[in-house]
Structure formats: structure tokens, C-alpha cells
Amino acid sequence: MSISVHNISKTFKDVTAVNNISFDVKEGELFGLIGPDGAGKTTIFRILTTLLFADKGEAIVANYDVIKDYKSIRNHVGYMPGKFSLYQDLTVEENLEFFATIFGTTIEKNYDLIKDIYVQIEPFKTRRAGKLSGGMKQKLALCCALIHKPKVLFLDEPTTGVDPVSRKEFWEMLKRLQKKGITILVSTPYMDEAALCDRIALIQDGKILEIDTPQEIVKHYPKKIYNVKTDNMYKLIECLKSYEHHYSVYPFGEFVHYTDKRDDFNPNELHRFLEEMDAVNIIIQPTETTIEDTFMELAK
Amino acid sequence: MNNKNVIKVENLTKKFGDFTAVNSISFEVKKGEIFGFLGANGAGKTTAMKMLIGISTPTSGSAQVADFDVFTNPEDIKKNIGYMSQKFALYDDLTVKENITFFGGIYGLSRKQIEEKRCLLVEELGLQDIVNELVGSLPLGWKQKISFSVALLHNPKIIFLDEPTGGVDPITRRQFWEMIYKTANNGTTVFVTTHYMDEAEYCDRVSIMVDGKIEALDTPTKLKEQFKADTMNDVFLKLARG
């Protein structure tokens, strides 16, 4: 195991940020912590990177104990915090050199690992980090977290606030790093990114709701989901919520995801109900469960 | 929704030195419409939005927002719009009640009006138990819902939402969109930016900015047809990646 977490808890004053959490990440695995702000993701990262003591429980990272061997862990992990934490008044190149030097290495020695990413920001290597765009800051931060060739890479919400194009590119970079044998623990509030991980933990209010592969997690959803659409989204949501047999009603892109309380649900009945409510251009069709559906069901 | 335009933008441009952040954009937004304003980071969305809410003077072009001109009447614009961003929403060290009173006062409501609005809000959002809590102690989802309602205190004609749902859990995100639908249904225009492409589908029309220009503008359905894409995410990737 590359990361082992056993019954970790952490409380800040009267808020339990992490509540008895356990999980393992295998060597070379891309593991995702999926959950909204306030779920406890950052606290877990800070405990695993030896920046914060847990109140209870044990954690092992790259075969080192997070308390006894904290110095060794710091040499063997890379950490990209959610908040941009590089030196704003050093240039791109100076930041990278600085991080290489503190870890007792050079840019040249591990250039191979960062090359793909660094070439994209190299044209701006004399620019101060504070003057970079969001996407470029993120790439520089990743380079700095990688420059000492860590065994385990911790990425805390690397794609939050990032547009879909840059997000896609970022995940492609992660896949390439994973092929080089680096274990990656990544957190995200974007449920669609969960599908790109080998395994995920769904987390909310300091607790893990479920751990499995993205493919397995959706199979545990208890209901058949239907896509429903009419001309007026707002009215449709109101109508479906007033339908006595509804189990859940959630807007999902251009459709509403609808589930029914009854096991023998007949879509034609719902069609008739919507017609009576003056809905037009009614579409009702079965659809696949997504991780977001599962998350919402578990988080209810 | 009727056909009255509450935002009219023509060849609006903003330059910083020799860098053109917003390059001659033109569009209209109707009363009661939910208008999605999308684009990659750095495409110029924030700059454009700042001009529309009257806090940044355009370099050239013209824009009317809520019937006022961005060049000559920016102060009137501010009185007739609501604005909510993810970064600045409410004061963490004031209670919910104090925030409502403070923003109501800023918007020029009388004590009586503020009192009425507050009761209405407490009722609608179910705030009975938390109205005297500090905002800083509330979960993000609550803050965002309250912040949205506060931005509507003065019954603005248009509400501008800058990534209102970032980091919010999926259930709250949907409750938030139900509030948006309700607001639009009541005739307030909603101008919203988001990085969640499923939310782009919830908009009546969507514009996508690329390098300072609006490269696409239509209903989600028509954009998907036009770009032969199944989802708005694919439309966005096709456009922004070129």
C-alpha cells in the first residue's frame, strides 16, 4: 500500500472535520476524494502530508508513519495545496529552482518527469509567478510538486475554478504521471472527474459515504433513473415534485433525473400526469446512473 | 419572458495597454431570461462583466444595462442590478440577520421594508434556526443561498451571478438552480457564469467567449446541433480548443 489511513479523526473546536475515516491507496493508483467544500478533504491532505496532527487514528504514507517519520515523508511526497502557494515575486524558473534546491536535487536531474508540463510554461519562465494566468499557475505548481520525483503526489482540488478545457488537459497530465509509477491522491468537487480515477471515496461532512471503482459505485444505486424533459424546466420540476409517487427529482443538464417510489413504475402514467398538468413536448426515457446521482442518494 | 431587452451590448471593447481583453462583443439579453456567460479562464468574462455592472469603463462600443448607459450612468446601473460572486458574498463576522439589515440599508430600503424582506426570507429559506448565527459558521451551501437572496433584496431588474455554485455540494447546487428558475420566472433577468457545463444546459441561451470574442451564442439545444455535440461540455471543448 502506498497510503494507509486507519480511523483518523480530527476536530477543530466544535467542528468534526474528519470523522473516523479509513482507506487505502495502492501503489501506482490514481485515487480520488470526491466531495463538496467542507467535506474534510483538505484536512485529510494536511494530515497525510504531516502538516497537521490527527486527534485519533494512524496513517502510513510511502511506508512511513505520518508522526514518527514525518521528515522522511516530506522528502518522498509532492503536495499541491488548493490555494496557490508558490512565491509570487519569484519567476517561474526561480520557483522551480528553489523547490529543486530545497529537496537537494536539480531541475536537470528530474527534467524528464516535468518536461511535458514545463514546456507549456517555459515561454514565460522569466515572468513572476504572481503574474501568471490561473492555468499557468496550476501547471507551475504541479512542476514544483514533482521536481524531487515524489513517490506519492497529493493534489488538493487542482481543478477548482478551472475551465473545462484546462481541466481536461490537467487530467491527461495526471494519467501520464501515473504511468510513470507515481501514486496520486487527488480531490475534486467535480463529480464528472470521479470517472477518471481508478478508485474513489465519496466524502461529505467528514465521513466517507462509499469507496469503490467509479464503475462499481454507480451499480449500487437502488433505483431506475428516467430522463424527463418538457418545454418549461421550472414548471416541470414543480410538477414532478407535486407527483405523489416521486422519490427524487433533480435537474441534470437538459433533463430532470426522476425516480419513482414504486418498483412497478410505468412511465406512461407519469406521461399522462404531465399532460394533465399542461406540459408540452414531454420526453420520458430511461437513462444511466451517474456518480453524481449516487452521491446525492448517499448524501440525502 | 417577453421581448424587452434589459441588456444591450454593441461592439463593447476593453483594452489594457496593447492587450485587448474584450474584443468588440455584441449581444442582447431579454427580461426574465437566464443567460449563461461562458468561456475559458482568461477569455475575458470577468472584464466584460465588470463593464456591465458599472465598475469598469469600456474603451469603446456601447452598452445599456437596465435602461442605463454604462458610460454615463454607471451609478444608476448599480442601483438596478444585484451582484453575487463566489469570492465576496456576505460578511462572515456578522449574523445572517445583520447581513440582511446591512445590505438592505446599502440598497436604500427603509427599516420597515428591511423587516418585511427579512421575515419573507427567513420563511422562504427556512432560516428560523440560524438567523442569529454568524455567517462564517454556516456551510458554504447556506451562505450561497442567503447571499443570492440578499442580492435580490432591492428587487433588481437583473442579477449577475459570477460562478455562484463553485465547490457547492450537488444537492445544494440544484436547490440553488431552482432558486434561479423561480427568480427568472418572476421576471428578473439572470446573467450567470459557471464552469459546470451541466449548468450551461439550464440556461435559456448561452454565449461562449474565446480570446475576448463571443464565438457562439444560442440556446443549448441549437449550439449542440451547430457543433454536432451531445453535451454542452463537448461544445465548449470544440470551441475553446479550436
Side-chain angles (χ1 to χ4, degrees):
Chain A
M1 286 300 159
S2 199
I3 303 174
S4 276
V5 177
H6 295 289
N7 307 110
I8 287 276
S9 293
K10 177 74 190 177
T11 301
F12 299 101
K13 287 182 190 161
D14 49 355
V15 180
T16 305
V18 174
N19 192 350
N20 201 23
I21 272 184
S22 303
F23 65 93
D24 292 315
V25 181
K26 293 174 208 146
E27 235 174 277
E29 199 171 24
L30 175 51
F31 191 96
L33 290 178
I34 316 294
D37 284 7
K41 305 188 298 288
T42 300
T43 305
I44 296 173
F45 276 104
R46 292 176 60 81
I47 291 169
L48 295 180
T49 51
T50 77
L51 300 172
L52 190 70
F53 287 128
D55 299 335
K56 270 191 296 202
E58 292 168 359
I60 308 285
V61 174
N63 294 321
Y64 297 110
D65 184 279
V66 288
I67 295 170
K68 285 201 307 259
D69 312 315
Y70 73 95
K71 281 189 177 162
S72 306
I73 288 186
R74 290 179 187 182
N75 281 319
H76 289 102
V77 305
Y79 175 38
M80 184 172 154
K83 193 170 165 258
F84 184 69
S85 306
L86 302 181
Y87 292 95
Q88 310 257 8
D89 45 5
L90 293 185
T91 66
V92 168
E93 204 175 22
E94 285 165 348
N95 263 297
L96 195 56
E97 230 170 73
F98 177 79
F99 281 92
T101 311
I102 357 181
F103 284 111
T105 184
T106 59
I107 298 179
E108 294 72 36
K109 206 169 161 196
N110 293 317
Y111 189 68
D112 234 26
L113 198 57
I114 61 160
K115 194 181 152 205
D116 282 353
I117 310 158
Y118 191 62
V119 290
Q120 300 174 50
I121 48 173
E122 209 168 8
F124 312 98
K125 66 182 180 186
T126 57
R127 191 179 289 188
R128 286 183 190 195
K131 298 277 177 201
L132 295 174
S133 73
M136 287 199 281
K137 276 184 184 164
Q138 177 206 39
K139 283 172 187 153
L140 176 60
L142 184 58
C143 286
C144 291
L146 282 169
I147 197 61
H148 59 300
K149 206 175 182 188
K151 289 183 182 145
V152 185
L153 184 60
F154 292 95
L155 305 169
D156 192 6
E157 298 206 16
T159 54
T160 290
V162 174
D163 69 71
V165 178
S166 308
R167 275 170 56 196
K168 191 158 183 268
E169 287 172 358
F170 196 82
W171 279 89
E172 287 164 1
M173 287 190 279
L174 292 193
K175 289 279 179 190
R176 285 198 294 271
L177 288 173
Q178 191 195 5
K179 288 207 181 87
K180 290 176 181 164
I182 297 176
T183 304
I184 303 174
L185 181 69
V186 58
S187 69
T188 178
Y190 295 101
M191 301 281 156
D192 56 340
E193 293 181 345
L196 304 168
C197 300
D198 296 328
R199 284 192 308 141
I200 53 176
L202 301 181
I203 168 168
Q204 171 145 308
D205 295 334
K207 287 190 205 137
I208 290 181
L209 304 170
E210 186 146 15
I211 302 179
D212 215 322
T213 62
Q215 298 75 21
E216 279 303 313
I217 273 186
V218 295
K219 285 187 194 159
H220 303 161
Y221 193 79
K223 296 272 178 190
K224 177 78 209 142
I225 301 176
Y226 289 84
N227 266 342
V228 184
K229 190 180 178 181
T230 62
D231 269 6
N232 185 325
M233 188 65 138
Y234 178 59
K235 267 197 196 151
L236 174 63
I237 294 168
E238 298 236 299
C239 280
L240 289 174
K241 284 193 169 171
S242 72
Y243 189 51
E244 57 173 329
H245 303 295
H246 85 269
Y247 177 75
S248 67
V249 176
Y250 291 121
F252 251 86
E254 62 179 314
F255 296 102
V256 170
H257 277 191
Y258 174 84
T259 60
D260 199 275
K261 280 181 196 154
R262 299 161 296 180
D263 291 330
D264 57 346
F265 168 61
N266 181 352
N268 293 329
E269 269 180 55
L270 179 62
H271 201 284
R272 277 195 296 278
F273 170 77
L274 290 173
E275 273 173 356
E276 283 164 21
M277 303 294 274
D278 297 328
V280 280
N281 295 331
I282 303 166
I283 298 172
I284 303 175
Q285 60 198 24
T287 185
E288 300 289 323
T289 307
T290 70
I291 289 164
E292 197 154 359
D293 291 301
T294 312
F295 188 97
M296 290 195 286
E297 176 62 22
L298 293 168
K300 253 185 184 173
Chain B
M1 206 191 307
N2 63 27
N3 286 325
K4 188 180 179 305
N5 288 326
V6 291
I7 301 179
K8 280 180 269 185
V9 176
E10 236 182 88
N11 303 326
L12 196 68
T13 299
K14 179 82 186 186
K15 291 183 182 172
F16 298 105
D18 52 6
F19 175 68
T20 306
V22 174
N23 191 353
S24 193
I25 60 170
S26 303
F27 63 92
E28 275 122 37
V29 183
K30 293 185 190 76
K31 178 172 159 53
E33 189 172 29
I34 303 176
F35 189 82
F37 199 59
L38 312 185
N41 299 111
K45 293 191 305 283
T46 305
T47 309
M49 198 145 159
K50 278 184 177 168
M51 291 191 278
L52 297 181
I53 63 176
I55 60 172
S56 168
T57 310
T59 308
S60 60
S62 71
Q64 274 85 45
V65 177
D67 292 327
F68 294 104
D69 190 288
V70 293
F71 284 97
T72 54
N73 301 75
E75 292 310 312
D76 290 315
I77 290 179
K78 289 176 200 166
K79 285 178 201 151
N80 284 281
I81 61 160
Y83 174 74
M84 171 195 164
S85 83
Q86 197 192 349
K87 284 172 202 119
F88 177 78
L90 301 168
Y91 289 99
D92 274 351
D93 44 8
L94 295 183
T95 65
V96 174
K97 186 178 171 181
E98 286 164 347
N99 265 291
I100 295 171
T101 310
F102 175 78
F103 282 100
I106 292 275
Y107 288 130
L109 303 189
S110 69
R111 272 174 201 278
K112 191 162 163 275
Q113 284 172 317
I114 292 173
E115 179 69 24
E116 281 169 12
K117 279 279 182 185
R118 183 162 53 78
C119 293
L120 200 69
L121 262 181
V122 167
E123 182 70 34
E124 269 184 7
L125 296 180
L127 303 176
Q128 291 85 353
D129 296 336
I130 56 166
V131 72
N132 289 315
E133 301 269 330
L134 291 183
V135 161
S137 69
L138 300 177
L140 178 73
W142 270 114
K143 283 189 202 173
Q144 295 302 82
K145 280 192 245 177
I146 298 168
S147 163
F148 178 70
S149 304
V150 164
L152 288 169
L153 276 178
H154 56 307
N155 298 322
K157 296 192 178 100
I158 308 163
I159 181 159
F160 289 85
L161 307 170
D162 195 1
E163 287 183 43
T165 55
V168 174
D169 73 83
I171 296 178
T172 310
R173 203 152 70 80
R174 286 174 171 78
Q175 291 169 344
F176 194 89
W177 269 91
E178 286 174 31
M179 291 172 76
I180 292 182
Y181 281 127
K182 195 175 170 191
T183 306
N185 209 52
N186 290 338
T188 305
T189 302
V190 180
F191 187 99
V192 58
T193 74
T194 179
H195 284 316
Y196 290 96
M197 287 302 120
D198 60 329
E199 294 187 348
E201 308 260 9
Y202 305 158
C203 300
D204 293 315
R205 285 188 307 145
V206 167
S207 76
I208 302 178
M209 271 187 94
V210 182
D211 294 336
K213 287 184 183 162
I214 290 182
E215 292 291 350
L217 199 174
D218 215 323
T219 63
T221 310
K222 285 199 178 137
L223 285 176
K224 283 182 278 181
E225 275 171 27
Q226 187 188 336
F227 290 90
K228 298 182 177 60
D230 291 333
T231 62
M232 280 305 292
N233 196 49
D234 293 342
V235 171
F236 192 94
L237 291 178
K238 280 188 178 179
L239 252 177
R241 264 192 175 173

